[in-house]
Amino acid sequence: MIRNLIKKNFFLKDIYDLFLISIIRIIPIILNILIIKYFLTYHKSQVGEYIALITTATIICTFSNYGILNYILKFKDRNKSKILGLFIKIKIPMVFFLIFICSMVTIINYYFSETLNEGDLIYIFTFFLVIFLFGINNLNSFYFNAINKAKTAGLFRFLIIGLIFYILLTTTKNDFMLNYFYASIISVIISYIYILKSVNLKNIKINHKLRFYNFLISNKHKGLSSIFGGWMLYLPLVLATYIYNENEIFIFFFVTRILNLFFISGVVFQNKFIYQYSRYFVEKNFSKIKKFLIYRTKLIMVPLIPLSLGLIVFKEPIFNYFEIESLYSNLYFFTIILGILKLIIGPVIEYALFYDMKFYYKKMQYIMYFIYYSLCIMSILTLNISLAIYFISTLFILYYFVVALVLYLKMKKFIYNN
C-alpha cells in the first residue's frame, strides 16, 4: 500500500511538472497564432515574409544543435560546473560555425527570395543578426536541459522571444524584422545572465583536450541526424515559400503548427525525462528503458485525449478565425491523425542516438533521409499544395515508424544476447 502511494505521488508530481512545462511551451504557440492573426488583419502581404523568417530561424536552430545535447548527456558524470565547462568549450567555435551558416543562408535568401532582394543593406544585416541570435538562444537552452532544468530551457528557447516580439509588434511601428531582432537579443542577454548566476565560475572545469574539429568529426552522426531530423518538415515549408502564393504557404504553415501541437506534447515528455532516460541508454540498462517506455505510454494519454478532442470539436471556430476554406477540412483531420501517431511513437530519433547504433544503421538512416528529401522536393515541384502536404506528412510518419521498428529489433536482439 505504501509503495502504491509513493508511485501515485510520483505520478502526480510528474503530471504537475509536465503541466508547467506544457504551459511554457504552449504559450509561444498561442503567441504565434496571435501574431499570424495580426498580420492577416493588418499586414496580410507580410505573412509570407514572416513565415519565411521564423522557419529559416528554426532551421538555423538545427545547426546550433549539431547533436550537442546528446553529446553532453552521454557522460555519466553530470556535475553542473563540468557540464558548463564542456558547453563553453564546444560553444565558442560553434558561434563561428553559426556565423558561417547564417552568412550562407542570408546570401541564398538575397538572391532567391523576395524577403531580402528588395531590402537595403541594414535590412539584410538585420535578417542575418535575427537568425544568428535565434541560433545562439537555442544553443543556450541546451545547457539548461543538460543540468535537468527543462522548464528553464523552454522559457529561454521559445517563450521570452515570442512574448517580447508580440508586445513590440502590437505597440510599435517598427518593421517586424527589427522587432524580432530586439526580442532575440534581449532573450540572449537574459539567458547569459541566468547561466552566469547559476554557477560559480571559479569551479568551472574546461576540457582542454576537446578540439572542436575532433568534436565535429566524432559527433558527426549525432550532429547530422539532429540537423536532418529537424529539417524534415521545415525545409519543405521553406522551399514552398519560393514556389506557392501566400495563401498556400499559410496552409502549409498551418498544418505544421497543428502537428507542432502534438510534437510539443512529445517534446514536453522528452524535456522532462531526458536527463534520466539518456542515462539508461548510455548504461544499456534495458530493464529501466522498458519501464520508462511503459510509464511514458501511460502519461501520454493525459495530453493526447484532450488535445485531439479539442482540435476536432473546435474545428469550425479555428477555420473561421484564420479564414481557412472548408475544402481543407480533410487535410485538417488527416493532420490530427498523423500528430497522434507521432506522439505515440515518441522521440525515436533521440533514442536511436543515445543507443549509438552501429554503422549499418547509420548508413540506412542517411539513405532514408536522401529518399525522403528527394521525394519532398519532387512533390513540391509537381503537385498542388494539398497533395504535396498529404505526401510529405505521410513520408514523415513512415520514416519515424521505420526508425522505431529498427530500434525495437536491435534492442530486443541485444536483450536476448545478454
Side-chain angles (χ1 to χ4, degrees):
M1 182 176 180
I2 295 177
R3 184 180 295 179
N4 290 335
L5 185 62
I6 293 174
K7 286 183 178 180
K8 184 177 180 181
N9 288 336
F10 271 111
F11 186 79
L12 293 176
K13 182 180 182 303
D14 285 337
I15 289 179
Y16 177 73
D17 285 344
L18 289 169
F19 174 76
L20 291 180
I21 299 172
S22 299
I23 294 297
I24 292 173
R25 298 302 296 268
I26 289 174
I27 290 177
I29 294 289
I30 296 173
L31 288 171
N32 211 358
I33 291 172
L34 295 174
I35 290 167
I36 289 291
K37 183 61 178 178
Y38 178 86
F39 279 115
L40 289 174
T41 304
Y42 300 105
H43 305 285
K44 192 170 183 178
S45 61
Q46 294 184 341
V47 170
E49 294 181 17
Y50 172 71
I51 291 174
L53 172 67
I54 61 173
T55 305
T56 302
T58 304
I59 289 177
I60 294 299
C61 286
T62 64
F63 285 101
S64 66
N65 184 346
Y66 197 75
I68 290 175
L69 183 58
N70 298 84
Y71 180 81
I72 292 175
L73 291 180
K74 80 176 185 179
F75 295 99
K76 295 179 182 179
D77 181 8
R78 296 179 185 171
N79 177 274
K80 186 187 293 187
S81 297
K82 183 176 180 180
I83 286 178
L84 183 58
L86 185 63
F87 183 74
I88 292 172
K89 189 69 176 181
I90 294 173
K91 184 179 177 180
I92 293 174
M94 182 59 73
V95 170
F96 292 100
F97 180 61
L98 278 178
I99 290 174
F100 171 74
I101 295 298
C102 292
S103 299
M104 294 296 100
V105 170
T106 303
I107 292 171
I108 292 171
N109 274 272
Y110 176 75
Y111 285 104
F112 297 101
S113 173
E114 294 182 0
T115 304
L116 293 186
N117 59 18
E118 295 180 358
D120 56 20
L121 289 176
I122 296 177
Y123 188 80
I124 295 170
F125 185 62
T126 304
F127 174 85
F128 167 83
L129 289 176
V130 166
I131 60 177
F132 172 70
L133 290 170
F134 207 87
I136 295 295
N137 193 74
N138 183 72
L139 185 58
N140 285 354
S141 70
F142 295 139
Y143 166 74
F144 299 113
N145 269 327
I147 61 173
N148 201 24
K149 290 191 174 183
K151 293 186 282 291
T152 307
L155 184 70
F156 284 108
R157 190 176 184 185
F158 297 104
L159 195 149
I160 294 178
I161 288 181
L163 183 61
I164 296 175
F165 175 68
Y166 181 69
I167 293 173
L168 292 175
L169 183 69
T170 54
T171 58
T172 69
K173 295 182 180 180
N174 295 329
D175 182 87
F176 77 90
M177 188 82 73
L178 192 60
N179 285 333
Y180 221 106
F181 167 72
Y182 291 144
S184 300
I185 197 167
I186 291 172
S187 180
V188 168
I189 291 172
I190 294 174
S191 68
Y192 275 124
I193 293 173
Y194 195 94
I195 289 173
L196 293 175
K197 277 193 169 185
S198 68
V199 293
N200 187 342
L201 294 177
K202 295 180 181 179
N203 295 330
I204 294 178
K205 302 174 183 178
I206 297 179
N207 183 0
H208 294 284
K209 295 181 181 179
L210 178 66
R211 296 290 181 268
F212 186 65
Y213 176 77
N214 294 333
F215 166 74
L216 287 176
I217 300 301
S218 63
N219 200 52
K220 62 180 180 298
H221 176 59
K222 290 183 175 65
L224 293 175
S225 293
S226 297
I227 291 172
F228 292 146
W231 285 1
M232 290 186 75
L233 284 179
Y234 288 106
L235 185 60
L237 177 57
V238 170
L239 293 176
T241 61
Y242 294 98
I243 298 171
Y244 296 106
N245 61 42
E246 292 169 354
N247 293 328
E248 292 171 326
I249 294 169
F250 174 72
I251 293 300
F252 203 154
F253 180 77
F254 176 76
V255 167
T256 60
R257 295 304 96 180
I258 296 296
L259 284 174
N260 269 351
L261 289 174
F262 292 93
F263 294 174
I264 283 177
S265 298
V267 169
V268 164
F269 281 85
Q270 178 190 353
N271 288 348
K272 164 65 179 174
F273 297 109
I274 190 171
Y275 196 80
Q276 293 93 332
Y277 79 64
S278 62
R279 284 181 181 268
Y280 302 156
F281 280 92
V282 170
E283 298 169 354
K284 296 292 190 294
N285 192 330
F286 290 98
S287 62
K288 288 188 177 180
I289 292 174
K290 183 178 179 181
K291 290 180 181 178
F292 163 73
L293 293 177
I294 294 173
Y295 187 58
R296 180 191 179 278
T297 303
K298 292 179 180 178
L299 282 174
I300 211 70
M301 294 297 113
V302 176
L304 181 60
I305 295 174
L307 176 58
S308 304
L309 291 177
L311 288 172
I312 292 172
V313 171
F314 295 104
K315 178 254 179 184
E316 289 301 324
I318 292 172
F319 270 47
N320 291 335
Y321 186 81
F322 289 107
E323 302 175 7
I324 299 174
E325 299 178 24
S326 59
L327 61 90
Y328 293 110
S329 295
N330 290 337
L331 180 59
Y332 177 79
F333 291 120
F334 179 74
T335 302
I336 294 174
I337 294 173
L338 292 181
I340 292 172
L341 292 175
K342 177 61 178 69
L343 186 57
I344 292 173
I345 297 171
V348 293
I349 300 299
E350 285 80 4
Y351 297 162
L353 292 175
F354 282 127
Y355 180 70
D356 282 332
M357 292 277 189
K358 300 300 181 183
F359 176 76
Y360 82 92
Y361 165 75
K362 299 174 185 178
K363 187 176 181 180
M364 180 202 74
Q365 191 177 14
Y366 294 137
I367 292 173
M368 289 172 61
Y369 278 134
F370 176 77
I371 294 173
Y372 174 83
Y373 287 113
S374 298
L375 292 176
C376 284
I377 293 172
M378 289 175 58
S379 66
I380 290 173
L381 293 175
T382 59
L383 303 176
N384 64 51
I385 190 67
S386 294
L387 291 177
I389 295 173
Y390 275 120
F391 189 68
I392 292 170
S393 301
T394 303
L395 283 175
F396 179 81
I397 295 299
L398 181 62
Y399 174 88
Y400 274 85
F401 265 118
V402 172
V403 175
L405 179 61
V406 173
L407 180 63
Y408 170 76
L409 293 175
K410 286 294 295 179
M411 287 177 58
K412 186 176 181 181
K413 182 179 178 181
F414 185 93
I415 295 171
Y416 180 79
N417 291 337
N418 289 272

